[in-house]
Amino acid sequence: MAEVCCDSAVVVGAEAEARARARAGRRRRAGVEGAGTWKAAAGVAAEEAATRKRRASGGEAGVVVVAKRHGAASVAGRRREMEDAVSLREAFAAPADGEVDGLEVAAARCDFYGVFDGHGCSHVADACRERMHELVAEEMGAGAAPREPASWTGAMERSFARMDAEVIAGCRAESGSCRCEGQKCDHVGSTAVVAVVEESRVVVANCGDSRAVLCRDGAPVPLSSDHKPDRPDELERIEEAGGRVIFWEGARVLGVLAMSRSIGDAYLKPYVTAVPEVTVTDRSDGDECLILASDGLWDVVSNEAACEVAQACLRRGRQRWCAEAAALLTKLALARRSSDNISVVVVDLRRGNAL
């Protein structure tokens, strides 16, 4: 029998148990059992203590990071280990009001967002989450004067080089605290796609096959290009350095790594480099949001589809639409049977929500 409450039927007893067994069987047959084990985006700065974390409904949902200007979701998916890391740092390098060249200037606020997709172990991605924004802030300096695109490129390249040197120098000392073996610590690395959002510009630095996409006037604008070993310029660079690209379940550097740039991976240098590609994009009135994600999303969801999902959430008019978009994109990747960890960050770029 069934009890009815508030127009919805609640089935109890033997019939409920039978339905539960049937649902469990369908999940096992679909291969999605365990796919919804979420990991909250960690490493959120102290100033984000007010950020609310909520568990969405459903077995494939998880913990979503919610804030006024952004939202993030991160899930292990069908992998046994979670090796992604997400960094969300609002006002990470805001200087104090003061003088520059004798002129009074107001503080120029910058927000930092990053997605790091580890491989071999999680400790390089975790180190990037904890340190990358600090290195970028140091390389930016404390000046409030506008920076030229060339200076941004130099600052990002120096930041990535320092991060790479730190993880290579320190990984063996830290290996006791993670699951990887010390003698294989040099085989650990991470992609890195980071964005610094200013009032007038978005600066993106990318190293690896994570990706940044700007949604502008309803259309996607790629702000990064995936570093795959068979990309013509990357293939040429690898071969000039004396390396080889071997096709083993896809193009791989020396038949091992499926990306041509990363932080860490000391055993594959100089073929795999930590030098990022940097883009500096002026913001416009048509900008809606910025999407940063690991390849667990982009392997199965196109730039166009990702922007359509974000726009659909935006049109609903809810205040926390960025978090809804991040969670929905992650669920879409799971539904399309992504086989990797999935991490998504959505940043609100609308002029009405200017920094």
Side-chain angles (χ1 to χ4, degrees):
M1 62 181 294
E3 297 178 357
V4 179
C5 177
C6 298
D7 298 326
S8 61
V10 179
V11 181
V12 297
E15 183 178 358
E17 294 179 359
R19 291 189 181 185
R21 286 195 297 270
R23 286 195 298 271
R26 287 195 296 271
R27 286 196 296 268
R28 283 194 297 271
R29 289 192 295 273
V32 301
E33 197 161 77
T37 305
W38 286 71
K39 174 183 177 183
V44 181
E47 62 267 24
E48 290 190 352
T51 294
R52 180 168 60 91
K53 298 179 181 178
R54 65 178 176 82
R55 184 170 299 278
S57 61
E60 292 184 1
V63 177
V64 179
V65 176
V66 184
K68 181 178 180 181
R69 295 181 176 87
H70 64 259
S74 192
V75 64
R78 291 176 175 81
R79 290 292 179 91
R80 294 182 60 183
E81 302 289 340
M82 181 58 178
E83 296 177 334
D84 283 4
V86 173
S87 180
L88 310 168
R89 312 280 176 168
E90 291 189 352
F92 82 110
D97 294 347
E99 292 188 358
V100 175
D101 295 332
L103 300 175
E104 291 188 1
V105 295
R109 173 178 169 140
C110 297
D111 292 344
F112 177 96
Y113 304 96
V115 172
F116 310 101
D117 182 358
H119 48 266
C121 187
S122 62
H123 68 252
V124 173
D126 291 341
C128 290
R129 177 187 61 210
E130 299 301 323
R131 279 284 287 156
M132 183 67 85
H133 68 287
E134 298 175 346
L135 298 177
V136 172
E138 291 173 9
E139 293 298 335
M140 286 170 58
R147 301 179 63 91
E148 297 298 324
S151 65
W152 266 118
T153 299
M156 287 297 189
E157 288 179 351
R158 292 190 298 271
S159 301
F160 276 57
R162 290 175 61 185
M163 189 76 252
D164 187 56
E166 284 188 15
V167 298
I168 290 176
C171 69
R172 284 194 171 89
E174 298 293 333
S175 62
S177 62
C178 66
R179 63 181 173 81
C180 75
E181 301 175 9
Q183 66 269 25
K184 292 187 177 181
C185 199
D186 284 349
H187 293 225
V188 179
S190 175
T191 71
V193 58
V194 305
V196 174
V197 179
E198 298 181 301
E199 292 184 7
S200 60
R201 292 180 296 193
V202 176
V203 181
V204 169
N206 179 58
C207 179
D209 56 3
S210 295
R211 190 182 307 168
V213 176
L214 172 68
C215 297
R216 172 177 287 173
D217 293 321
V221 179
L223 300 186
S224 68
S225 179
D226 299 353
H227 294 128
K228 296 292 189 181
D230 56 348
R231 205 178 90 175
D233 56 338
E234 291 294 282
L235 175 61
E236 181 180 0
R237 179 185 60 78
I238 293 167
E239 292 179 341
E240 287 181 351
R244 295 180 59 194
V245 174
I246 299 173
F247 285 81
W248 180 266
E249 296 181 350
R252 298 177 181 269
V253 179
L254 301 187
V256 179
L257 193 63
M259 67 204 70
S260 56
R261 302 194 191 193
S262 70
I263 292 174
D265 292 307
Y267 75 114
L268 288 174
K269 296 188 182 302
Y271 320 126
V272 173
T273 178
V275 178
E277 289 185 316
V278 182
T279 60
V280 180
T281 305
D282 291 332
R283 293 176 62 175
S284 75
D285 292 338
D287 292 348
E288 294 154 340
C289 67
L290 174 68
I291 302 174
L292 305 177
S294 59
D295 66 334
L297 175 75
W298 303 119
D299 284 347
V300 295
V301 177
S302 66
N303 295 353
E304 292 78 10
C307 282
E308 288 175 4
V309 169
Q311 282 184 306
C313 293
L314 172 60
R315 286 194 296 268
R316 296 179 70 178
R318 297 185 181 180
Q319 187 176 11
R320 308 302 186 184
W321 69 274
C322 288
E324 293 181 355
L328 189 56
L329 284 169
T330 311
K331 289 184 178 182
L332 177 60
L334 287 172
R336 294 186 176 182
R337 306 193 62 77
S338 173
S339 60
D340 206 347
N341 299 153
I342 308 160
S343 295
V344 183
V345 175
V346 179
V347 183
D348 192 345
L349 295 182
R350 293 173 298 164
R351 285 298 187 189
N353 292 300
L355 301 180

